[in-house]
Amino acid sequence: EAGVVQSPRYKIIEKKQPVAFWCNPISGHNTLYWYLQNLGQGPELLIRYENEEAVDDSQLPKDRFSAERLKGVDSTLKIQPAELGDSAVYLCASSITTDTGELFFGEGSRLTVL
Amino acid sequence: SQKIEQNSEALNIQEGKTATLTCNYTNYSPAYLQWYRQDPGRGPVFLLLIRENEKEKRKERLKVTFDTTLKQSLFHITASQPADSATYLCALETGTASKLTFGTGTRLQVTL
């Protein structure tokens, strides 16, 4: 069974440029998460979807970040314009909605903003 | 303020010994706690879950304890092997509908 698939794995852009990350969750997982992970830190939640609905986006910087999950499957996370401080790993995870919420993570997309 | 603390310094132990990692938290009342393993350049991988009404959970060489009075979880790896070298993250249920908040992680290095 395929795991969570993310692309691209690596992206280098100049500041003020836009960037987008794509995530394909495990089939049948209706909950999808985007996390940000800085070097030496734990993942920090940006947004969580239940099917198509964003149920927790309180930590998403909405002035420059946006996300969507059309048809309740794949998701994209966009940053426009990117800033130097956005350099980090962006992790996508999915889970079956249960009361314990074990997460399955993708390999992440490493963003470097120059 | 709410905090989840893991030892930021790396833990170095010899092969065959028991590694013990600590996760302390303040101002949370989690219904459960999870532990994940993360290798460099990879996403975290789920290891174990323990609920608030459970004192201890085991899986092969792994053992987790959960003390809601001390607000602490301990993660043990017995008979450590170099392949156990990784960063270990604790994650607490911290809100409605299974919201997970992660600690900063502790890097474990097992040497021969």
Side-chain angles (χ1 to χ4, degrees):
Chain A
E1 178 182 313
V4 176
V5 179
Q6 291 188 245
S7 69
R9 285 295 315 276
Y10 304 93
K11 187 74 176 180
I12 301 174
I13 61 172
E14 295 197 342
K15 64 181 181 183
K16 300 185 182 180
Q17 295 299 306
V19 63
F21 305 112
W22 174 81
C23 174
N24 179 242
I26 293 173
S27 177
H29 284 196
N30 53 333
T31 306
L32 184 145
Y33 312 75
W34 282 102
Y35 280 87
L36 175 153
Q37 187 172 28
N38 288 302
L39 189 65
Q41 301 296 312
E44 300 171 36
L45 181 67
L46 290 172
I47 189 167
R48 176 164 65 100
Y49 284 93
E50 296 288 345
N51 300 306
E52 300 93 347
E53 183 183 359
V55 296
D56 185 352
D57 63 356
S58 57
Q59 302 303 310
L60 188 73
K62 299 181 183 63
D63 56 336
R64 296 184 300 107
F65 287 65
S66 64
E68 61 181 10
R69 190 183 184 198
L70 300 176
K71 300 182 182 179
V73 181
D74 294 1
S75 178
T76 56
L77 177 70
K78 298 178 181 178
I79 309 174
Q80 182 170 15
E83 297 179 352
L84 295 176
D86 296 332
S87 296
V89 175
Y90 292 84
L91 292 163
C92 179
S94 69
S95 70
I96 299 170
T97 303
T98 66
D99 65 339
T100 56
E102 170 192 342
L103 303 187
F104 296 80
F105 283 87
E107 302 287 54
S109 295
R110 180 178 295 278
L111 173 66
T112 301
V113 182
L114 302 176
Chain B
S1 64
Q2 296 174 313
K3 287 193 296 186
I4 302 171
E5 294 181 324
Q6 294 185 255
N7 199 334
S8 58
E9 291 191 13
L11 177 63
N12 295 292
I13 66 164
Q14 205 170 22
E15 182 181 22
K17 303 291 186 183
T18 296
T20 298
L21 286 69
T22 303
C23 177
N24 294 298
Y25 59 93
T26 55
N27 295 324
Y28 287 118
S29 297
Y32 58 85
L33 185 150
Q34 301 179 4
W35 283 88
Y36 289 76
R37 168 184 173 141
Q38 187 172 26
D39 291 287
R42 311 294 294 274
V45 175
F46 172 81
L47 295 174
L48 278 169
L49 174 147
I50 187 165
R51 298 177 187 272
E52 61 178 337
N53 60 349
E54 297 174 316
K55 295 293 185 186
E56 181 180 297
K57 208 76 168 286
R58 292 176 184 260
K59 178 182 176 183
E60 298 173 352
R61 295 184 296 111
L62 308 181
K63 184 178 84 171
V64 173
T65 63
F66 193 9
D67 189 325
T68 56
T69 300
L70 290 178
K71 293 187 180 295
Q72 179 182 78
S73 175
L74 298 179
F75 177 81
H76 306 271
I77 306 175
T78 58
S80 298
Q81 304 167 0
D84 295 326
S85 299
T87 295
Y88 291 86
L89 299 155
C90 69
L92 275 62
E93 179 273 332
T94 56
T96 56
S98 307
K99 178 174 181 175
L100 275 182
T101 301
F102 284 82
T104 54
T106 297
R107 189 163 62 86
L108 172 66
Q109 184 71 42
V110 182
T111 55
L112 296 171

